Amino acid sequence: MDTKRISSKLEQALSAQMNVEDLQSHVYLSYGIWATDKGYNGIGNFLFRHAQEERNHAIKFMEYILNRGGKPKVEALPAPGNDPKNLADCFNLVFKHEVENTEKIYALVDLAFAEKDWATWNFLQWFVKEQIEEESLAMDLIDKLNIAGGDQATDESLFTLDQTLAKMPDEAEMARNATAENP
Ligand code: OFO
């Protein structure tokens, strides 16, 4: 009896996204190595933690496909690309990667909707929400660097920024979770 509960088209599209998440993980790993090598250990650590999150996203896709009776395929990944030119470039690239990823998730939601595969549509809503957090986190990085002085940032303010990012949570706080004590 065929127990597969997902179309081959969605199975392949979700499997491709599993590989995209793994590539994102490698990209953040490479940025973390770049930052640490430049002496920004706090920023490097933040990016390494983020690389791990992307890896977890890949596993989430893998498990879902398997749970629906499909079989994901691990593909060869392209190289992560050039190192960022500077911190502003690094944070802008993080934001760009997240926006591109959001668009990929939306395309999957569209596909699940078109197929009326509500289980997959529901599964993907977790990623829709996650991308709001990830984009906020990336915007926060850009804001923090601007506050530190952007291109004109002094070594001292960059040192403080590095320390701040070392302690920054991996998840952005959602506006609706804010309280008077924790705005
Ligand atoms: Fe940064 O995002 Fe995964 O999904």
Side-chain angles (χ1 to χ4, degrees):
M1 177 165 185
D2 184 11
T3 55
K4 195 166 151 195
R5 299 287 293 128
I6 189 164
S7 74
S8 298
K9 193 169 174 188
L10 260 177
E11 177 189 25
Q12 277 167 27
L14 295 178
S15 179
Q17 184 63 26
M18 175 189 79
N19 286 282
V20 165
E21 301 286 346
D22 248 340
L23 177 59
Q24 290 269 82
S25 176
H26 277 201
V27 168
Y28 291 138
L29 202 60
S30 75
Y31 291 179
I33 291 170
W34 169 81
T36 306
D37 181 56
K38 292 278 173 217
Y40 300 121
N41 289 6
I43 295 169
N45 190 266
F46 171 82
L47 290 162
F48 291 145
R49 293 195 325 256
H50 208 74
Q52 191 53 45
E53 264 211 45
E54 298 297 350
R55 174 85 179 138
N56 292 344
H57 294 170
I59 298 295
K60 229 175 161 62
F61 276 101
M62 178 198 81
E63 283 176 340
Y64 179 75
I65 301 165
L66 287 168
N67 284 341
R68 301 304 287 158
K71 185 164 182 278
K73 189 168 188 303
V74 174
E75 312 276 2
L77 297 178
N82 296 335
D83 281 346
K85 293 193 234 7
N86 47 45
L87 276 184
D89 188 37
C90 177
F91 295 168
N92 286 334
L93 284 167
V94 169
F95 182 66
K96 181 172 157 277
H97 287 306
E98 290 306 332
V99 171
E100 283 170 3
N101 200 43
T102 300
E103 281 160 10
K104 289 191 165 78
I105 298 288
Y106 287 180
L108 290 170
V109 172
D110 273 348
L111 193 56
F113 189 89
E115 290 195 9
K116 294 189 173 25
D117 179 341
W118 306 123
T120 300
W121 187 89
N122 189 48
F123 164 73
L124 289 167
Q125 294 312 303
W126 185 90
F127 283 93
V128 171
K129 178 173 167 285
E130 178 70 5
Q131 283 310 114
I132 301 174
E133 288 183 10
E134 307 246 302
E135 287 183 7
S136 300
L137 212 55
M139 286 176 208
D140 227 36
L141 295 179
I142 295 171
D143 287 346
K144 281 191 168 49
L145 182 59
N146 283 337
I147 291 166
D151 290 345
Q152 316 296 321
T154 60
D155 286 349
E156 198 187 344
S157 57
L158 287 178
F159 178 76
T160 309
L161 174 68
D162 190 54
Q163 303 273 296
T164 308
L165 285 192
K167 294 183 219 115
M168 197 160 151
D170 298 323
E171 309 272 321
E173 189 64 41
M174 304 297 275
R176 65 179 150 72
N177 294 338
T179 60
E181 294 74 44
N182 183 20

